[in-house]
Amino acid sequence: DWSSAFGTAIDFMLKQLDAALVLESTSRKSVTGENISDRLKDVAVYSLIARILKDESERNRKIPKNKRAEALSEVWKRRRASRKAK
């Protein structure tokens, strides 16, 4: 589903890659001020975000729908507890 968070991350990644390729092939300066290196950093970030979202999605599929809210609640409780401990 390309309208999902995962699909959006992939879309943004591809837009950044496309912009980097256009800048390289035309030797133009970016209108936004971002150079090729900046664009490629964004590609890496969106790729990582997509990977995290995909992993989370696969993890959630393993949990029955009626148990997902309970499982997420436990995750958030543990995260809050670990933050308080710091």
Side-chain angles (χ1 to χ4, degrees), residues 16-75:
Q16 293 296 330
L17 183 57
D18 181 57
L21 291 169
V22 167
L23 288 174
E24 178 64 22
S25 66
T26 61
S27 300
R28 289 188 201 163
K29 279 197 128 193
S30 172
V31 176
T32 64
E34 290 182 282
N35 59 30
I36 294 172
S37 180
D38 293 336
R39 298 286 184 163
L40 293 175
K41 287 176 192 172
D42 289 344
V43 168
V45 169
Y46 284 121
S47 176
L48 182 58
I49 291 169
R51 183 175 169 199
I52 291 168
L53 290 169
K54 187 68 170 171
D55 289 348
E56 286 290 319
S57 173
E58 289 173 1
R59 206 171 299 131
N60 285 340
R61 283 189 196 143
K62 294 177 184 175
I63 302 170
K65 282 188 179 183
N66 60 345
K67 298 288 184 179
R68 286 183 189 168
E70 184 180 318
L72 286 173
S73 176
E74 287 301 315
V75 168

Side-chain angles (χ1 to χ4, degrees), residues 5-23:
F6 171 77
T8 301
I10 295 293
D11 180 46
F12 287 176
M13 179 190 72
L14 292 173
K15 285 180 181 179
Q16 293 296 330
L17 183 57
D18 181 57
L21 291 169
V22 167
L23 288 174

